[in-house]
């Protein structure tokens, strides 16, 4: 339990300093200024007091039961200080100092040293090389941190390794007038981890929404497990940075080499039900909405506005994000026609006009809350000098407090002139945004979150007849031979062990046998060059399709023999499958996570189209269907422009069979089924590759 870290009663600072511009001084100032409810013990061998607080020569001289010790001393002194903390029975140590694993092997050795001591004494360590924690709970008021943002109490908790980003996010909330709850930045995270903190925040009743920033996940499987568990209880909003190669490198070089250029983090977010963002501004603005507003039950939004243009911008943004603006119900329309000014526009958006009164706003808000056509309301509110804006703000707050449906507000005003209006809305917990697009994006995030949480995952099907042992045997034998790429024979045998449908095929050594095989399969056939070193067959002229008779096979076989002089050259004869839709499935091993499974538009243009989606194993029935639905070319699967569609049920089944194959055979590094040829009522794999 991290309770003693986040809710400390006694905090000591080893390295407390009388120098104003030092962390050892700042931490004490912050605790005092923030009104820490517990006791502070500065430790300094030479000073009697620091900032008016009685100082102690050593941690050993302090009263007992110390919850948190800050260490603000050079790295080399930390192990010894840790030993003292152990003897004293200290529960947690926050190491603000740097000079550990982030600097190289020497620092890493010191980190290992103090960590061993901490473990020996059962001390939990936050950091090193970190800012610390803050808890705004009125009973605690712990500012165990050397940063400068003074948060108002609120419901958003922030956790990140990077102190810089955590502080930027923190500061942004403060500037928006949005309160925060717990703040934790744990730097090198040698002991207390991000998942552990997320789990704590999940249990913290004062935290309504968790915001996290990651550059890569160290212990991906634990993160996944914890995030899945916590996201089921409250919203987690996350941002992953280090997406570009350059970004990943910058991330890797600043906090002990964490980030990899990967898709795994996104897939974990998706699978765990985390709402993920690519822009920190959007993340912050969305979090502000989650902090005070209920999650909508659907995507139908009503807009109330007192000025035209901004409502148009808001509409565009929301519709672009998949939200809808349904018409008013007849009842609402009638009511508003009777209540608003005759010139007002009684549609969605409702334009109450600049002269619209507080009563007009109230009637609209109440009507939309009661109207079953709407799941949430966006208010565009410009503050004209000729109306009572404070009363309007109060009405918005009153309706927002009922928590019936989410309300977000695009407040267009001069915040220095209309301070009272801003205050009423802010303290009333109405999320306010300066731009219509920002407000609309925050609403879209709420809607999107509801979609994520209410999606039907289905179950992970188990295909009992799949022959795991046979698959494992083939892979083990290939490994024995030192192969990393399986032969066509091996690959197709594994597919058949899992009942993944392939076009009928034979592998033969000579042109003569090719003729026999073709006759057995039935014309037309395809002939492909098969040898260990031939990877992209068609690039090298190794695929000849639509061979209608024996003559054609003979000619093609002779041509292949000419082109390829490989000693191990074989002929892969396959049934020709004309006219279907070429799709791709694939897989890539992800450290400690199983595999990422891919589905998309296949064939030779796959690299150009890049219309593929991924999901982590095990892929459930709902997830498989979601994959089919989420490629850009999804309408092609339904059939378009007179072309037949694809057997989606069969495709979903193949994705799940593939998922089971990958789960059973963890040695598979990469896999490609490209293409699968899909018809309205059947699907066949016609090319496959597996590397181990
Ligand atoms: P590679 O990917 O190694 O170049 P493929 O076996 O995928 O070789 O063949 C290349 C292309 O030839 C496929 O993308 C597909 O368009 C076509 N093709 C291959 N086999 C068949 C088949 N049995 N029926 C119809 N078209 C095929
Ligand atoms: Mg291919």
């Amino acid at each position: 339990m991290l309770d003693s870290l986040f809710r400390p009663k006694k905090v000591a600072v080893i390295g407390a300093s009388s120098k104003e511009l030092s962390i050892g001084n700042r931490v004490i100032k912050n605790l005092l200024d923030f009104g820490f409810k517990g006791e502070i013990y500065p430790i300094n061998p030479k000073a009697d007091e620091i900032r008016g607080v009685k100082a102690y020569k050593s941690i050993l001289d302090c009263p007992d039961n110390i919850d948190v010790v800050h260490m603000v001393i050079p790295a080399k002194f930390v192990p010894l200080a840790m030993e003292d903390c152990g003897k004293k029975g200290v529960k947690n140590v926050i190491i603000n100092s740097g000079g550990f694993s982030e600097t190289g092997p020497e620092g890493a050795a010191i980190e290992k040293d103090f960590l061993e001591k901490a473990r020996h004494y059962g001390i939990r360590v936050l950091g090193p090389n970190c800012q610390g924690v803050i808890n705004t709970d009125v009973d605690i008021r712990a500012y165990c941190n050397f940063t400068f943002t003074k948060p108002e109490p609120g419901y958003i908790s922030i956790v990140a390794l990077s102190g810089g980003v955590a502080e930027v996010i923190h500061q942004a909330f403060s500037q928006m007038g949005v309160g925060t709850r717990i703040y934790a930045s744990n730097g090198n995270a040698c002991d207390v981890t991000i998942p552990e903190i997320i789990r704590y925040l999940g249990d913290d009743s004062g935290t309504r929404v968790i915001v996290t920033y990651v550059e890569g996940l160290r212990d991906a499987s634990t993160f996944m497990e914890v995030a899945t568990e916590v996201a089921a209880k409250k919203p987690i909003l996350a941002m992953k940075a280090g997406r570009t190669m350059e970004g990943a490198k910058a991330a890797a070089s600043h906090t002990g080499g964490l980030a990899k250029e990967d898709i795994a983090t996104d897939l974990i977010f998706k699978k765990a039900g985390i709402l993920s963002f690519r822009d920190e501004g959007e993340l912050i603005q969305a979090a502000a909405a989650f902090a005070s507003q209920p999650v909508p039950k659907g995507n139908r939004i009503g807009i109330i506005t007192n000025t035209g243009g901004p409502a148009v911008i808001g509409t565009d943004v929301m519709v672009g994000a998949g939200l809808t603006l349904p018409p008013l119900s007849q009842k609402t329309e009638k009511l508003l026609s009777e209540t608003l000014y005759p010139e007002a526009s009684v549609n969605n958006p409702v334009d109450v006009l600049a002269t619209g009164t507080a009563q007009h706003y109230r009637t609209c808000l109440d009507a939309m809350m009661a109207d079953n056509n709407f799941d949430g309301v966006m208010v565009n509110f410009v503050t004209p000098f000729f109306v009572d804006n404070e009363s309007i703000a109060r009405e918005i707050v009153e309706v927002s407090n009922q928590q019936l449906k989410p309300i977000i507000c695009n407040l267009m005003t001069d915040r220095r002139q209309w301070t009272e209006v801003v205050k009423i809305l802010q303290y009333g917990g109405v999320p306010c945004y300066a731009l219509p697009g920002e407000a609309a994006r925050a609403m879209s995030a709420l809607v999107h979150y509801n979609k994520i949480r209410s999606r039907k995952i289905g179950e992970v099907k188990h295909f009992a007849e799949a022959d795991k042992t046979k698959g494992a045997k083939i892979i083990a034998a290939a490994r024995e031979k030192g192969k990393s790429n399986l032969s066509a024979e091996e690959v197709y045998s594994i597919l058949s062990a899992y009942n993944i449908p392939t076009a009928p095929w034979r592998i033969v050594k000579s042109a003569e046998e090719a003729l026999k095989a073709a006759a057995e399969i039935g014309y037309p056939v395809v002939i492909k060059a098969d040898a260990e070193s031939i990877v992209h067959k068609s690039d090298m002229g190794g695929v000849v399709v639509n061979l209608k008779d024996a003559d054609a096979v003979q000619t093609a076989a002779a041509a292949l023999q000419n082109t390829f002089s490989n000693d191990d050259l074989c002929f892969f004869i396959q049934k020709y499958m004309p006219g279907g839709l070429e799709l791709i499935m694939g897989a890539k091993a992800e450290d400690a996570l199983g595999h990422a499974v891919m589905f998309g538009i296949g064939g030779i243009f796959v690299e150009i189209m890049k219309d593929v989606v991924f999901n982590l194993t095990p892929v459930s029935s709902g997830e498989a269907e979601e994959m089919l639905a989420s490629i850009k070319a999804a309408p092609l699967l339904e059939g378009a422009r007179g072309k037949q569609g694809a057997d989606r049920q069969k495709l979903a089944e193949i994705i799940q069979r593939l998922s089971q194959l990958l789960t059973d055979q963890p040695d598979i590094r990469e896999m490609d089924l490209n293409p699968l040829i899909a018809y309205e009522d059947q699907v066949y794999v016609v090319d496959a590759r597996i590397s181990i």
Side-chain angles (χ1 to χ4, degrees), residues 211-472:
V211 166
T212 186
Y213 164 88
V214 304
E215 287 162 2
L217 299 172
R218 272 187 208 175
D219 180 355
S221 61
T222 306
F223 183 93
M224 171 88 149
E225 184 194 318
V226 171
T228 305
E229 182 189 309
V230 175
K233 288 195 272 195
K234 53 184 82 168
I236 304 179
L237 277 52
M239 173 163 159
K240 149 97 166 79
R243 293 182 172 280
T244 57
M245 281 302 194
E246 290 81 355
K249 226 158 104 192
S253 52
H254 84 242
T255 265
L258 308 169
K260 279 182 286 182
E261 238 288 275
D262 62 2
I263 51 159
T265 310
D266 286 321
L267 297 182
I268 292 171
F269 287 174
K270 185 163 139 192
K271 209 158 175 109
I274 289 177
L275 193 56
S276 94
F277 292 82
R278 288 176 168 249
D279 178 281
E280 73 285 8
E282 238 176 85
L283 164 72
I284 289 158
Q285 285 164 355
F290 279 92
S292 65
Q293 296 302 310
V295 173
K297 301 216 157 51
N299 69 343
R300 304 161 311 156
I301 306 304
I303 300 183
I304 302 170
T305 188
N306 60 355
T307 169
V312 179
I313 296 177
T315 303
D316 281 351
V317 170
M318 291 196 283
V319 170
L323 283 56
T324 61
L325 273 83
L328 308 173
S329 71
Q330 274 180 351
K331 192 174 162 201
T332 304
E333 194 180 323
K334 181 161 177 292
L335 176 69
L336 296 188
S337 304
E338 289 162 6
T339 315
L340 303 181
Y341 291 127
E343 299 82 7
S345 160
V346 182
N347 292 304
N348 185 17
V350 179
D351 191 340
V352 298
L353 306 180
T355 45
T357 65
Q359 198 45 52
H360 291 168
Y361 268 90
R362 181 58 188 255
T363 307
C364 284
L365 281 164
D366 283 343
M368 280 187 178
M369 289 296 138
D371 191 331
N372 281 331
N373 281 8
F374 303 109
D375 301 304
V377 176
M378 171 174 171
V379 180
N380 268 302
F381 175 22
V382 70
T383 50
F385 63 88
F386 41 75
V387 294
D388 179 357
N389 291 300
E390 290 169 24
S391 294
I392 294 176
R394 271 185 216 105
E395 297 299 345
I396 298 173
V397 167
E398 266 190 37
V399 179
S400 162
N401 281 341
Q402 295 169 1
Q403 296 277 304
L404 297 170
K405 295 172 185 173
I407 296 178
I408 49 124
C409 180
N410 165 216
L411 177 63
M412 295 165 284
T413 193
D414 175 355
R415 287 175 178 245
R416 280 165 303 193
Q417 277 186 60
W418 301 103
T419 46
E420 198 52 34
V421 171
V422 172
K423 244 194 233 160
I424 292 168
L425 290 168
Q426 226 158 57
Y427 288 107
V430 176
C432 288
Y433 305 88
L435 297 170
E438 289 176 352
R441 272 186 286 275
M443 180 61 93
S444 306
L446 290 172
V447 169
H448 190 54
Y449 177 76
N450 172 58
K451 204 173 147 204
I452 290 179
R453 294 311 314 179
S454 53
R455 75 200 168 121
K456 301 264 176 293
I457 301 287
E459 50 182 1
V460 176
K461 246 186 234 160
H462 183 76
F463 301 93
E465 84 292 350
D467 195 342
K468 178 176 173 179
T469 321
K470 184 174 169 203

Side-chain angles (χ1 to χ4, degrees), residues 528 535 537-538 574-577 582 674-675 687 689:
K528 303 180 188 182
V535 183
K537 299 178 289 291
S538 53
Q574 192 177 44
K575 181 84 183 166
Y576 178 56
M577 297 288 170
E582 293 203 15
N674 182 31
D687 185 29
R689 207 165 281 140

